Structures are given as C-alpha cells and as structure tokens.
Amino acid sequence: GKTGKQVWRFNVVPGPGEKGHETWEGDSWMYGGGAPWLTGSYDPELNLIYWGTGNASSDFCGGKPKGDNLYTASIVALKPSTGEVAWHFQVVPHDVWDYDAAYECILVDLPVNGRPRKLLIHPSKSGYAFVLDRATGEFVAGWKYIDTLTWSSGLDSKGVPQERREPVPDLATLICPNWFGGRSFNQASFNPKTGLLYNIGVEWCGEFLAKDQEMVPGKSWTGGSIKIVPPPSGKTTSHIDAFEPISGKRIWRYESKYPLLAALVSTGGDLVFAGDPEGNFFALNARTGQRLWTFPTGSGHRGGPISYAVRGKQYVATPSGWGSFAAFSITALFPETKDFQAGSTLFAFALPDGDGR
C-alpha cells in the first residue's frame, strides 16, 4: 500500500459479536492469548493466507476458560483483501499444555488416493503432523512424528485428539511432550524432488502442575508450573526424520545426542542441512539420512539455515549462537550444555557445482 493505513484486522480471539466468541466462557476472551508469532504462507492461485496461532491462556489451567477457545492453537485461512476467515482447523481444542500451532504451514501439491490435491502440512508442537486440504480446510491425514506422546491416544477421522491426558490441579502429572513440544520453531522442510518431509523430533516430557492462578497484568500467567524431565525410558533423545507426508511412513532417522533446536533446509542436490547444540553444522543425504559433511562453528545452533544463489553459484548460510532460550530449555536435563559457548556468528558455505568445484 501507499499510505500504511490499516485495511483490516483479524482477531485470533474473537470479541463480542464476532464468530467464535461463543467458544469462550464469560470474560475469559479478554485474556485469551493466541498470539500468531511466526510467519504465515500464501497461495496466489487460491488467494488465501494461512497462519498458525498460539495457545490459549492460561497455559495449564483448564478450569477457565472452558470451551474450544477459537481461534487459538489453530490453522486459519484468511482472505487477503478482507481478513475474513475462509476456513479454520483447530489443532488442539482447549489447549492446556501450551501446544500452540504457531508454526509453519507448508504448501504442497500431492496425489491423495490417486487424485491431485492442494495440501497444507503442519508439524504441530503437540507431536502430531497434520495434513489438510488447503482449499477447504478438510482433514486429510495425521500422524505422530515422535515416539513418546502420552497427552492423547491418537487422532480420530476428523483430526481431533482423543483421550486427552490433561494437567491436574495441584498434582504433578507426567505428560509427553513437555511445553517445548515434540519440536517448536525449528521448521521442517518438504523437498518436491524426493517427495519427503524432513522434520525434527525431541523425546522429552514434563511434570505438569495446574493451578488456579489470578491474572495480574504485567506478570507471568501460566496457570501452574512445569518441570522438564526425561521420558519413561530415562533418556532424552532427538532425531531428524524423513517421512512420506501423507502416510507418515518414516523412511530414515538420524539420531542426535542433544535436543535439536535449529530448523532444517533441504536442497535440490539431495542434501538436508541442520545444526546441533554442540556447534556442528552438517549435511545429510536426503534419500538415506547418511551424514556426508560437518563443520564446527564453535557455538550451538538454534537458528535456521538458508540456501541461496549468487551469479549461478549456490550457497548455504547458517547463524551460530546458543542463547538463553536454548540454555533454559535443556540445561536441566543436560548440565554440561551450560558450557556450550554462546555466540552470534553467521557462516556461509559454497556448495560444489556438478563438476565438483
């Protein structure tokens, strides 16, 4: 636009008179949360914007607000000219685990039962990956990408989580994954050449404790607390997996010693790039998961790499720097990670041409 004048606004938590307001009890909508804090996607053919939204507040206490709490923990498709909701799909109705759905909406065109479909793939913090028809919002498929998932027994035919295990007031309850999720902002990558989705999973749990907490403006309001703990197996692990995106069939797995917090990028040259907490930036064979190359950057990775070209030469760049969030999330489980060097550095690498140069 030429003026910067606001044309429309979409309220993740609808106020009185707006559709979806009825899913909030009393005045709970006034403190509803739902921040859409990561980037959306756009389909120019359908002329729709897709955005994931954050969790409802308070995080752990389900006593209030009751209801599904639209449009929190949802994927919403918006008409870009008006901000009107074309469709929505709620990943976690009435979220009491902090399993927000603010993460990437990957747009792919793939056959389903022999028929081409315009799809949206959303790997959720909850440990499930959701596949939706991006024209209608219809649930197409859903599957687990982590092994240790106990908050739900599975998804029904409409993608609704079943047999939920919720935090209990004043009683520590072991639930997997914890509020950092099976993964968080470390985005997945779909490669149309291999037809595979590359995604990170972390096997860890939490002792959730719900508590009826008064909301005080300017102060934390989580409705309880959580202690990060290993899974029942006793060992917190992390992995990169290659999946067939419709069936969820795993093609290969690459194991990591520590929780992987950086995003992935895949390339047309059959490579998947990733970084780990120990400071290693590495490339995997996109078809087999074999580790092909590694470079020590000197600090842990929690940002995402990119691939780009200059004058026909392909490069890959990655930030390197651990930071306070990473330390907060895993130091309790791995005390040695406090010694991982913090830093703020950008590395760029040239990829070889087809002739090996």
Side-chain angles (χ1 to χ4, degrees):
K2 296 180 180 179
T3 66
K5 180 181 178 181
Q6 181 176 301
V7 177
W8 55 259
R9 171 182 289 185
F10 166 69
N11 293 319
V12 173
V13 179
E18 294 182 295
K19 186 178 180 180
H21 178 69
E22 70 281 358
T23 65
W24 294 85
E25 183 184 44
D27 66 352
S28 60
W29 67 276
M30 297 176 65
Y31 318 102
W37 53 280
L38 284 174
T39 309
S41 300
Y42 175 61
D43 184 326
E45 183 180 327
L46 295 175
N47 196 30
L48 290 175
I49 299 171
Y50 307 95
W51 224 283
T53 66
N55 60 288
S57 292
S58 58
D59 300 49
F60 306 135
C61 187
K64 58 178 184 181
K66 292 184 172 66
D68 282 353
N69 312 139
L70 293 175
Y71 292 92
T72 65
S74 299
I75 306 299
V76 292
L78 304 176
K79 298 179 180 180
S81 58
T82 64
E84 178 187 356
V85 178
W87 58 258
H88 77 276
F89 180 87
Q90 193 166 40
V91 175
V92 186
H94 190 63
D95 180 8
V96 290
W97 305 270
D98 196 332
Y99 291 157
D100 50 302
Y103 310 102
E104 69 272 24
C105 298
I106 304 173
L107 310 186
V108 303
D109 296 341
L110 291 171
V112 179
N113 297 324
R115 182 165 66 92
R117 298 283 293 269
K118 295 175 73 66
L119 304 175
L120 181 154
I121 303 174
H122 170 73
S124 168
K125 191 175 176 182
S126 67
Y128 291 115
F130 293 83
V131 183
L132 310 176
D133 184 306
R134 70 176 184 269
T136 65
E138 176 190 357
F139 175 74
V140 174
W143 36 270
K144 292 195 313 178
Y145 65 80
I146 56 174
D147 303 329
T148 314
L149 192 158
T150 66
W151 74 273
S152 159
S153 63
L155 305 174
D156 69 8
S157 61
K158 294 184 177 181
V160 179
Q162 300 297 295
E163 298 180 316
R164 297 155 51 113
R165 181 175 177 81
E166 301 186 1
V168 178
D170 303 314
L171 178 66
T173 306
L174 181 68
I175 302 174
C176 313
N178 57 50
W179 68 340
F180 292 117
R183 44 144 284 211
S184 185
F185 47 73
N186 38 338
Q187 289 94 338
S189 178
F190 174 76
N191 190 319
K193 184 179 177 183
T194 65
L196 299 176
L197 177 76
Y198 305 99
N199 187 58
I200 286 169
V202 185
E203 310 293 338
W204 53 3
C205 304
E207 292 179 357
F208 289 73
L209 179 69
K211 198 172 188 65
D212 189 5
Q213 179 185 2
E214 181 183 359
M215 200 284 291
V216 179
K219 293 190 176 182
S220 175
W221 190 48
T222 58
S225 60
I226 185 172
K227 179 183 178 183
I228 310 302
V229 297
S233 66
K235 184 179 180 182
T236 298
T237 61
S238 184
H239 41 84
I240 300 171
D241 302 275
F243 293 103
E244 292 182 353
I246 307 300
S247 67
K249 178 183 177 181
R250 188 173 70 230
I251 304 303
W252 55 256
R253 169 171 288 186
Y254 172 85
E255 298 280 358
S256 172
K257 181 179 179 180
Y258 298 110
L260 293 164
L261 301 180
L264 303 176
V265 69
S266 60
T267 72
D270 284 352
L271 298 175
V272 177
F273 287 95
D276 68 24
E278 295 181 278
N280 301 304
F281 185 58
F282 56 94
L284 306 177
N285 182 310
R287 297 185 183 275
T288 67
Q290 178 188 2
R291 184 160 164 165
L292 303 174
W293 170 86
T294 186
F295 181 88
T297 63
S299 182
H301 289 253
R302 57 180 289 252
I306 62 169
S307 183
Y308 59 97
V310 178
R311 298 187 182 92
K313 183 72 173 178
Q314 187 179 5
Y315 298 84
V316 62
T318 182
S320 174
W322 199 217
S324 59
F325 176 87
F328 171 69
S329 60
I330 72 169
T331 299
L333 295 176
F334 299 98
E336 68 273 21
T337 61
K338 73 180 187 303
D339 297 324
F340 289 176
Q341 182 180 348
S344 182
T345 309
L346 181 66
F347 290 84
F349 304 90
L351 273 66
D353 298 326
D355 57 6
R357 291 180 295 172

PDB file of all heavy atoms in Angstrom, residues 128-141:
ATOM      1  N   TYR A 128       2.081 -34.292  16.720  1.00  0.00           N
ATOM      2  CA  TYR A 128       1.383 -34.775  15.531  1.00  0.00           C
ATOM      3  C   TYR A 128       1.709 -33.873  14.338  1.00  0.00           C
ATOM      4  O   TYR A 128       1.884 -32.661  14.496  1.00  0.00           O
ATOM      5  CB  TYR A 128      -0.132 -34.745  15.727  1.00  0.00           C
ATOM      6  CG  TYR A 128      -0.683 -35.738  16.724  1.00  0.00           C
ATOM      7  CD1 TYR A 128      -1.293 -35.308  17.898  1.00  0.00           C
ATOM      8  CD2 TYR A 128      -0.625 -37.109  16.485  1.00  0.00           C
ATOM      9  CE1 TYR A 128      -1.826 -36.204  18.807  1.00  0.00           C
ATOM     10  CE2 TYR A 128      -1.156 -38.019  17.389  1.00  0.00           C
ATOM     11  CZ  TYR A 128      -1.761 -37.564  18.554  1.00  0.00           C
ATOM     12  OH  TYR A 128      -2.272 -38.454  19.450  1.00  0.00           O
ATOM     13  N   ALA A 129       1.748 -34.457  13.162  1.00  0.00           N
ATOM     14  CA  ALA A 129       1.775 -33.693  11.918  1.00  0.00           C
ATOM     15  C   ALA A 129       0.394 -33.787  11.288  1.00  0.00           C
ATOM     16  O   ALA A 129      -0.196 -34.871  11.229  1.00  0.00           O
ATOM     17  CB  ALA A 129       2.827 -34.239  10.966  1.00  0.00           C
ATOM     18  N   PHE A 130      -0.126 -32.649  10.832  1.00  0.00           N
ATOM     19  CA  PHE A 130      -1.459 -32.584  10.240  1.00  0.00           C
ATOM     20  C   PHE A 130      -1.337 -32.264   8.752  1.00  0.00           C
ATOM     21  O   PHE A 130      -0.570 -31.385   8.359  1.00  0.00           O
ATOM     22  CB  PHE A 130      -2.304 -31.508  10.922  1.00  0.00           C
ATOM     23  CG  PHE A 130      -2.642 -31.816  12.358  1.00  0.00           C
ATOM     24  CD1 PHE A 130      -1.746 -31.537  13.370  1.00  0.00           C
ATOM     25  CD2 PHE A 130      -3.858 -32.393  12.685  1.00  0.00           C
ATOM     26  CE1 PHE A 130      -2.053 -31.831  14.693  1.00  0.00           C
ATOM     27  CE2 PHE A 130      -4.173 -32.683  13.999  1.00  0.00           C
ATOM     28  CZ  PHE A 130      -3.274 -32.403  15.006  1.00  0.00           C
ATOM     29  N   VAL A 131      -2.113 -32.967   7.942  1.00  0.00           N
ATOM     30  CA  VAL A 131      -2.180 -32.710   6.507  1.00  0.00           C
ATOM     31  C   VAL A 131      -3.619 -32.293   6.198  1.00  0.00           C
ATOM     32  O   VAL A 131      -4.561 -33.057   6.439  1.00  0.00           O
ATOM     33  CB  VAL A 131      -1.795 -33.946   5.681  1.00  0.00           C
ATOM     34  CG1 VAL A 131      -1.795 -33.621   4.193  1.00  0.00           C
ATOM     35  CG2 VAL A 131      -0.428 -34.481   6.113  1.00  0.00           C
ATOM     36  N   LEU A 132      -3.779 -31.065   5.661  1.00  0.00           N
ATOM     37  CA  LEU A 132      -5.094 -30.503   5.399  1.00  0.00           C
ATOM     38  C   LEU A 132      -5.234 -30.165   3.923  1.00  0.00           C
ATOM     39  O   LEU A 132      -4.243 -29.893   3.234  1.00  0.00           O
ATOM     40  CB  LEU A 132      -5.307 -29.223   6.221  1.00  0.00           C
ATOM     41  CG  LEU A 132      -5.003 -29.278   7.714  1.00  0.00           C
ATOM     42  CD1 LEU A 132      -5.182 -27.881   8.323  1.00  0.00           C
ATOM     43  CD2 LEU A 132      -5.897 -30.285   8.422  1.00  0.00           C
ATOM     44  N   ASP A 133      -6.480 -30.180   3.424  1.00  0.00           N
ATOM     45  CA  ASP A 133      -6.770 -29.633   2.111  1.00  0.00           C
ATOM     46  C   ASP A 133      -6.754 -28.115   2.263  1.00  0.00           C
ATOM     47  O   ASP A 133      -7.558 -27.557   3.002  1.00  0.00           O
ATOM     48  CB  ASP A 133      -8.143 -30.120   1.638  1.00  0.00           C
ATOM     49  CG  ASP A 133      -8.464 -29.658   0.225  1.00  0.00           C
ATOM     50  OD1 ASP A 133      -8.392 -28.433  -0.032  1.00  0.00           O
ATOM     51  OD2 ASP A 133      -8.807 -30.505  -0.617  1.00  0.00           O
ATOM     52  N   ARG A 134      -5.859 -27.430   1.565  1.00  0.00           N
ATOM     53  CA  ARG A 134      -5.703 -26.007   1.827  1.00  0.00           C
ATOM     54  C   ARG A 134      -6.758 -25.143   1.128  1.00  0.00           C
ATOM     55  O   ARG A 134      -6.835 -23.931   1.358  1.00  0.00           O
ATOM     56  CB  ARG A 134      -4.297 -25.527   1.472  1.00  0.00           C
ATOM     57  CG  ARG A 134      -3.921 -25.477   0.012  1.00  0.00           C
ATOM     58  CD  ARG A 134      -2.516 -24.873  -0.109  1.00  0.00           C
ATOM     59  NE  ARG A 134      -2.061 -24.689  -1.466  1.00  0.00           N
ATOM     60  CZ  ARG A 134      -1.384 -25.563  -2.178  1.00  0.00           C
ATOM     61  NH1 ARG A 134      -1.085 -26.747  -1.650  1.00  0.00           N
ATOM     62  NH2 ARG A 134      -1.003 -25.281  -3.413  1.00  0.00           N
ATOM     63  N   ALA A 135      -7.587 -25.763   0.285  1.00  0.00           N
ATOM     64  CA  ALA A 135      -8.707 -25.037  -0.311  1.00  0.00           C
ATOM     65  C   ALA A 135      -9.914 -25.022   0.613  1.00  0.00           C
ATOM     66  O   ALA A 135     -10.657 -24.038   0.665  1.00  0.00           O
ATOM     67  CB  ALA A 135      -9.091 -25.649  -1.653  1.00  0.00           C
ATOM     68  N   THR A 136     -10.101 -26.098   1.377  1.00  0.00           N
ATOM     69  CA  THR A 136     -11.316 -26.251   2.178  1.00  0.00           C
ATOM     70  C   THR A 136     -11.071 -26.372   3.673  1.00  0.00           C
ATOM     71  O   THR A 136     -11.999 -26.197   4.460  1.00  0.00           O
ATOM     72  CB  THR A 136     -12.080 -27.498   1.727  1.00  0.00           C
ATOM     73  OG1 THR A 136     -11.284 -28.673   2.019  1.00  0.00           O
ATOM     74  CG2 THR A 136     -12.385 -27.460   0.248  1.00  0.00           C
ATOM     75  N   GLY A 137      -9.836 -26.724   4.081  1.00  0.00           N
ATOM     76  CA  GLY A 137      -9.549 -26.978   5.487  1.00  0.00           C
ATOM     77  C   GLY A 137      -9.872 -28.389   5.926  1.00  0.00           C
ATOM     78  O   GLY A 137      -9.735 -28.728   7.109  1.00  0.00           O
ATOM     79  N   GLU A 138     -10.279 -29.241   4.996  1.00  0.00           N
ATOM     80  CA  GLU A 138     -10.619 -30.625   5.333  1.00  0.00           C
ATOM     81  C   GLU A 138      -9.389 -31.367   5.848  1.00  0.00           C
ATOM     82  O   GLU A 138      -8.292 -31.244   5.299  1.00  0.00           O
ATOM     83  CB  GLU A 138     -11.168 -31.339   4.098  1.00  0.00           C
ATOM     84  CG  GLU A 138     -11.462 -32.817   4.317  1.00  0.00           C
ATOM     85  CD  GLU A 138     -11.763 -33.558   3.021  1.00  0.00           C
ATOM     86  OE1 GLU A 138     -11.805 -32.902   1.948  1.00  0.00           O
ATOM     87  OE2 GLU A 138     -11.946 -34.789   3.070  1.00  0.00           O
ATOM     88  N   PHE A 139      -9.586 -32.153   6.904  1.00  0.00           N
ATOM     89  CA  PHE A 139      -8.520 -33.006   7.431  1.00  0.00           C
ATOM     90  C   PHE A 139      -8.298 -34.161   6.476  1.00  0.00           C
ATOM     91  O   PHE A 139      -9.224 -34.892   6.131  1.00  0.00           O
ATOM     92  CB  PHE A 139      -8.915 -33.524   8.820  1.00  0.00           C
ATOM     93  CG  PHE A 139      -7.944 -34.506   9.409  1.00  0.00           C
ATOM     94  CD1 PHE A 139      -6.724 -34.081   9.911  1.00  0.00           C
ATOM     95  CD2 PHE A 139      -8.250 -35.859   9.467  1.00  0.00           C
ATOM     96  CE1 PHE A 139      -5.816 -34.991  10.460  1.00  0.00           C
ATOM     97  CE2 PHE A 139      -7.358 -36.772  10.024  1.00  0.00           C
ATOM     98  CZ  PHE A 139      -6.147 -36.335  10.517  1.00  0.00           C
ATOM     99  N   VAL A 140      -7.053 -34.323   6.016  1.00  0.00           N
ATOM    100  CA  VAL A 140      -6.703 -35.383   5.074  1.00  0.00           C
ATOM    101  C   VAL A 140      -5.970 -36.524   5.770  1.00  0.00           C
ATOM    102  O   VAL A 140      -6.261 -37.695   5.555  1.00  0.00           O
ATOM    103  CB  VAL A 140      -5.840 -34.819   3.920  1.00  0.00           C
ATOM    104  CG1 VAL A 140      -5.352 -35.937   2.999  1.00  0.00           C
ATOM    105  CG2 VAL A 140      -6.627 -33.782   3.130  1.00  0.00           C
ATOM    106  N   ALA A 141      -4.991 -36.175   6.621  1.00  0.00           N
ATOM    107  CA  ALA A 141      -4.205 -37.198   7.310  1.00  0.00           C
ATOM    108  C   ALA A 141      -3.537 -36.581   8.523  1.00  0.00           C
ATOM    109  O   ALA A 141      -3.387 -35.359   8.626  1.00  0.00           O
ATOM    110  CB  ALA A 141      -3.160 -37.803   6.374  1.00  0.00           C
TER     111      ALA A 141
END
